[in-house]
Amino acid sequence: MQSLVHRNLHLIQLLKLAKYSKHFPNNLVLTNSPLPTGSTPLGCYKKLIEYYKNGEISFEFVKTFNMDEYVGLPRDHPESYHSFMWNNFFKHVDIRAENAHILDGNAADLQAECSSFEDKIKEAGGIELFVGGIGPDGHIAFNEPGSSLVSRTRVKTLAKDTIMANARFFDGDLSKVPTMALTVGVGTVMDAKEVMVLITGSHKAFALYKAIEEGVNHMWTVSAFQQHPQTIFVCDEDATLELRVKTVKYFQGTAKPHCILRLPSHTIYYQKDLD
Amino acid sequence: MPSNKSVSDAPISQFINCRILRGHTLQREDLWVRDGKILDPEKLFFDEQGFADRLVDCGGSIVAPGFIDVQINGGYGVDFSQPTEDVAAGVSLVAKKVLEHGVTSFCPTLVTSPPAVYHQVLPQVQVHDGGPDGAGVLGFHLEGPFISPEKKGAHPERYLRTFGSGGMEDLTEVYGGLDGVAMVTLAPELPHSQSVVRMLCQKGIAVSLGHSVANLSQAEDAVQHGASFITHLFNAMLPFHHRDPGIVGLLTSDRIPAGRTVFYGMIADGIHTNPAALRIAHRAHPAGLVLVTDAIAAMGLPPGRHPLGQQVIEIQGLHAYVSGTKTLSGSIATMDMCVRHFKQASGCSVEEALEAASLHPAQLLGISQKKGNLDYGADADLVLLDDALRVRTTYISGEEVWRKDA
C-alpha cells in the first residue's frame, strides 16, 4: 500500500538521523515521539523492529513519550499501555528505559503526574514528531468529543463509545474497562513540530470526513490539526469512503510529487518504493 | 548499561536467540536472570531503568527448566544404598555426572535395606542447592522396606518390614531420623499404613504407592490420607483389571480430593514399559506423568556384573537384570534419553515431554514456586537443548555448569 510505505519512510527518516547522531555527540537529534497504542500502530512497530534488527536504525538516542495510559490499571496488567509498549516495541529494540516516558496511571497525585509529564516534554526540547491514530468519534489520544482544543496533559473520563471500543481488549466485559485515563491534551499535540495521524479502516471513515472536510470543532478533536503547520494524515482506501471523490483524487494526485520534493537526497534509496 | 542499582547490584544476564518453555508453550522470548533467579525484564525496565550486563547467545536452542529426577539409585559405579564411609562423595559424583543429562536436582533413592544401612547413610547427606559441582539434592527417596513381598521386584526379601503399630517408632526404628527425606514409597495394603501416610505427609514428606498388591479402594484410601505419587506405574503392582484397576486406577479415579493431583512415575527407557502402555497412561492422565530414570549404579558403566543394594546386577545392552534371572532391576537410561523416548513413543508435544521431567516432579514435591518452571522468581536452573532434545548446556542458578564438547 502506498500510504503504508509513506508512513514508514517518514519515521525511518528521523530515526536514521538518530542513528547517525552517535557520531556527533554534541549535536544530538532527539526524536521525541509521542507513541500510540491500540490496533492501528502495531504494524508500524513491527516494521520499525524489523528495520532495527536489520541494523538500519537505532533507538539508542530516541526519546519517546506515550500519549496516554489508563487510570487505576496495574502497570503489569496485560492491557495497560506500559505492557503494550514493552511487549510490542520496547523489549525488541535498543531504546533506553530513561528515555521512554509513559504516564503513570497509578500515581498518588494524578494532576501532578500530568504537569510533570508536560515538564519532561519541555526538558527534552519539545516533541519533534507526534504519531497517533484516531477513534471512531474523532478523538486524538483520549481527547474525547467536547475536549478543549487548547487542553494540556490531564485526567479524562472516557466516553461511552471509547469504553465500548476498548471492551474487546477486556474480554468484552464493559465492567472491566477503565473509565478514566491520563492523556496529552490537544494543545500538547499542537505544540509538536510535526504531526502524523494514522487512519485505517472504514469504521474510521466518518471521523476522517469530519476531521478534514468540515470545520475545526471540539466534537471531533482531531480536526484541530487543520490549524497545525505540518500535519500528515496517512490513510488506506477504506478510511476515505466518506470523503468526496474530488478530495481523494486531489490527494492521490499530489502524493508522488510531494514525496519526491520532501525527501532529502540521502534517502533517494527509497524511490523504488514509490512505484 | 546495568540497572540503577535501586534493587540489586548483581549483574544481569539476558539469554537471547532462544525459545523458552513458559505457560506450557515454547515462546520466542528472551530469558533474564539475576542473583540466580529468573528476572522480570518489564519491571527491570520500568522500575530500575536497567538492562543486561551480559548477553548469552543460545544459538536458537530450546531453554527448559532443569530436569528433576525423583528416583535414581546411583550411577557411574556409585550405589546410594551401599553403606560406605563417605556416602556424600558418591552422591556428589553422581550429582556432577547427571548435569550432562540436563538434571539439575534429584532425589538419591535407597532401595529396601536393613536399618543399619539407613542409619549410616541418611545422616551423611543433607538437602542442598546445586552449583558448578553438581546437581542439587532435594532429599532422599526411601523406596521400601515397607512394601509387599509379592511385588518386591529386585528388593531383597529378608529386609522387607511391616508396620508394628503404625506409629512414628516404626519409622525411626528403621530409618533413624527423617531429616533430609523427600519421599517414601510404601505399600498401602499393609496394616496401619494409613496413620503412617498421614504422619509422613504432615512432615512434608511425599508418600508414594508402589511395590504393592493394593486394590483400587486401598490405593484411594491412601490418597485420601495424603499419598500423591505412584512409584514406576505398572511395574511392581497388580496389572490393570477392568473390575479392579488397582493402583493403576488412580489415574482416572473420582475419589481424588478436590484440588489435588496424583502423580505417577514412568520409566520411559523403552524397556520397563511397552510404548502402548505408556500411551494409555499418558492419554488417561497427562498432567500427572513424571519421568524418572530409576537409574542404578551401572548407569554410565560398561556391560557386566555390578553390586546394587544387597544384590548383584547384570548389564546386557540396555537391560539390567537381577543376576541369574529375568527380573528387571532398574534402568540405565539417562533422563534426557527418557525425555526423547517419551516424546517419540507417546507422540506428545515437546512442551509436554519437557514438563514431564521438570514441572511435574516439582509440583509433586511441592517446590514448583522455585523449581521446574521459568516463571519470574524461580531458580534459574536451565537446560538448553537442540530440536532433537539433546542437551547442549546446563545451568544452575544462572551459571553454566556443563557444556557439550567443552
Side-chain angles (χ1 to χ4, degrees), chain A residues 75 82-83 86 90-91 97, chain B residues 29 41-42 45-47 49:
Chain A
R75 194 188 69 199
H82 281 79
S83 293
W86 169 255
F90 294 151
K91 80 176 175 194
Chain B
E29 288 284 346
E42 189 177 342
F45 185 84
F46 288 124
D47 281 338
Q49 283 159 4

Side-chain angles (χ1 to χ4, degrees), chain B residues 80-162:
Chain B
F80 297 141
S81 303
Q82 280 286 24
T84 67
E85 289 307 306
D86 193 357
V87 176
V91 170
S92 296
L93 193 158
V94 174
K96 177 89 181 164
K97 289 302 236 171
V98 294
L99 295 177
E100 298 172 26
H101 316 145
V103 174
T104 53
S105 304
F106 68 105
C107 296
T109 304
L110 298 187
V111 297
T112 295
S113 301
V117 169
Y118 296 113
H119 288 253
Q120 182 173 354
V121 170
L122 258 49
Q124 290 190 52
V125 179
Q126 282 77 46
V127 172
H128 63 263
D129 288 333
D133 294 329
V137 171
L138 298 170
F140 281 100
H141 173 177
L142 304 178
E143 190 188 4
F146 301 103
I147 57 174
S148 162
E150 295 163 64
K151 289 292 175 187
K152 64 183 187 296
H155 293 224
E157 180 156 13
R158 61 192 180 285
Y159 298 122
L160 299 188
R161 298 284 295 251
T162 55

